Amino acid sequence: MKTQKRKKVTRRNFLGTVAAAGAVSVVPRHVLGRSGAAPSEKVNVAIIGTGGQGIVNMKQLFQEADVRIAALCDVNEESDYSMFYYGNTAGLKPARALVRQRYGQPCPTYRDYHEMLDKEDIDAVLLATPDHSHAVIALDVIAKGKHLYCEKPLCRTVYETRMVTEAARKAGVATQLGNFGHSSEDLRLCCEWIWDGAIGDITEVHSWTDTGARRWRSLTDRPKERPPVPAGFDWRTWCEPVPYRPYHPDYAPVRWRAWWQFGSGTIGDFACHHLDPAFWALKLGEAESFTVEASSYGTTKETCPAASLIYYHFPARAGMKPVRISWYEGGLMPPRPEVLEKGRSMGGHGILFLGTKGAILGGGWSKSPRIIPETKMRAYKRPPKTLPRVKGHHRNWLDACKGQGRPSTHFGYGGPLTEFTLMGNVALRTGKKLEFDWKNMKVTNAPEANQFIKPDYREGRTI
């Protein structure tokens, strides 16, 4: 019998072994449990996508003592993001400067993430590229056995989201979706109050955002001009894996979310934040099917709507009554509830639960839920806190990378949440009320809608 050569134990494969061991413990395979590496063990994180959101996430990681930014990757050297909330320049050059400032020396930088994954000692990846590239990059990262934090939405389409969710489950890597409100105290309070029966059975949910579409209301068709690609911007690689089209600043670096080929519109941007309380508290993920219909202003074959109203109808599930969920964007708002005090604002972002015994009003990103009116909130005897609390969204993921605890919004949760929200876009593009067989990922009453569940890729590409 041949003697097996003992594999050298390094810090990198040790962390991977710990995660794999946690994946087969008593918790599901797609989350990590049990103890892991020593708390002082550094987690080497690579950033793929150093636009504004990538840099925002990187600054959060700077605050964690057991993290080191090990490498950066982007196809764009530097661009102006001043029209984006980030309000500054971003890209590989500014990100590299921030790493040098933080550590006193730069880290390796790459244009090709495949090369980076092959060469660098990386434990985990934070992915913050535009929506259209999430799936292919996430699948490559997971195939390498790296832990993954991915900005929301998890992917641009339902099919891609399902593929990434399943790959992460099978690999047993630690995953986290970037809907940071899911790690908040406020979201847990909202769930506990609803499960306590604070407002009875929930029959309606309304959620809204007033931002996003204003960046692209004027965009309706592909631009005819063909300006030169900015220096330092590898546009052809940026377009991967979707069909290539000539560069225009209406696409990148900021407005890509307006275009069906690259983004998922306002609902892709905000619904994983604002509808998260409804998804968790009302156990929507346990439904086998639901219907969705939509109306909009400004939707074209090329571009996402400037404003829309989307209705989801969920049947009874997990002991809960049927519920209608309404999503408003582009300045549209739900009717003002009668129980809301005069002069009290509903805010530009929010969620409203209407039950048989009252109402709960919350802000966007799961912030500050309150039973309304306030007199009823003050009279309410709060139930015990039963849900596990976490110390922070990035912190929670990093602990899971080391085999310590369960990620707050791992892809096993974040994937179905994303699929639920993105079916709104399928209804928008189809213009019909759709009956969605969730388990089989198929619209059953309008076959033409299924073309929007699985996207087109450039010739020779698929997932």
Side-chain angles (χ1 to χ4, degrees), residues 432-463:
K432 295 181 178 181
K433 183 176 181 178
L434 305 179
E435 298 173 2
F436 185 50
D437 177 351
W438 203 347
K439 179 179 178 180
N440 295 304
M441 201 169 48
K442 183 179 181 180
V443 174
T444 56
N445 68 316
E448 67 273 22
N450 291 306
Q451 65 181 304
F452 302 120
I453 288 177
K454 183 177 180 179
D456 291 328
Y457 300 107
R458 65 176 59 182
E459 188 175 353
R461 290 299 303 265
T462 188
I463 65 169

Side-chain angles (χ1 to χ4, degrees), residues 255-441:
R255 290 181 171 181
W256 52 266
R257 198 179 293 280
W259 304 88
W260 293 121
Q261 178 156 308
F262 302 124
S264 51
T266 301
I267 196 167
D269 196 5
F270 286 99
C272 284
H273 288 307
H274 299 356
L275 284 176
D276 189 15
F279 189 78
W280 195 5
L282 303 185
K283 303 180 181 179
L284 301 183
E286 297 193 29
E288 295 184 356
S289 63
F290 60 86
T291 64
V292 56
E293 55 188 318
S295 59
S296 68
Y297 168 77
T299 304
T300 72
K301 182 180 179 181
E302 295 284 344
T303 58
C304 305
S308 70
L309 174 56
I310 300 172
Y311 297 110
Y312 303 86
H313 300 261
F314 277 80
R317 74 256 151 244
M320 292 189 161
K321 302 290 186 182
V323 64
R324 185 175 85 160
I325 298 171
S326 303
W327 171 259
Y328 308 77
E329 62 182 52
L332 299 178
M333 290 286 291
R336 184 181 177 87
E338 293 182 2
V339 293
L340 188 63
E341 297 93 335
K342 184 178 180 180
R344 184 172 174 181
S345 173
M346 293 176 66
H349 302 263
I351 187 167
L352 173 68
F353 293 89
L354 298 179
T356 55
K357 297 180 180 178
I360 292 176
L361 175 65
W365 299 275
S366 305
K367 293 179 180 177
S368 305
R370 304 292 289 177
I371 298 172
I372 53 174
E374 189 64 22
T375 52
K376 194 169 183 178
M377 179 77 253
R378 292 172 183 169
Y380 175 55
K381 184 179 180 181
R382 300 188 184 193
K385 295 181 179 182
T386 56
L387 288 170
R389 266 52 179 177
V390 298
K391 297 177 181 178
H393 204 57
H394 294 85
R395 179 68 262 159
N396 177 240
W397 173 61
L398 294 167
D399 288 342
C401 290
K402 299 164 76 169
Q404 301 167 4
R406 176 188 177 100
S408 172
T409 179
H410 55 83
F411 293 176
Y413 174 90
L417 168 64
T418 302
E419 291 184 20
F420 149 58
T421 61
L422 291 181
M423 278 305 298
N425 280 339
V426 178
L428 281 169
R429 301 182 76 179
T430 308
K432 295 181 178 181
K433 183 176 181 178
L434 305 179
E435 298 173 2
F436 185 50
D437 177 351
W438 203 347
K439 179 179 178 180
N440 295 304
M441 201 169 48

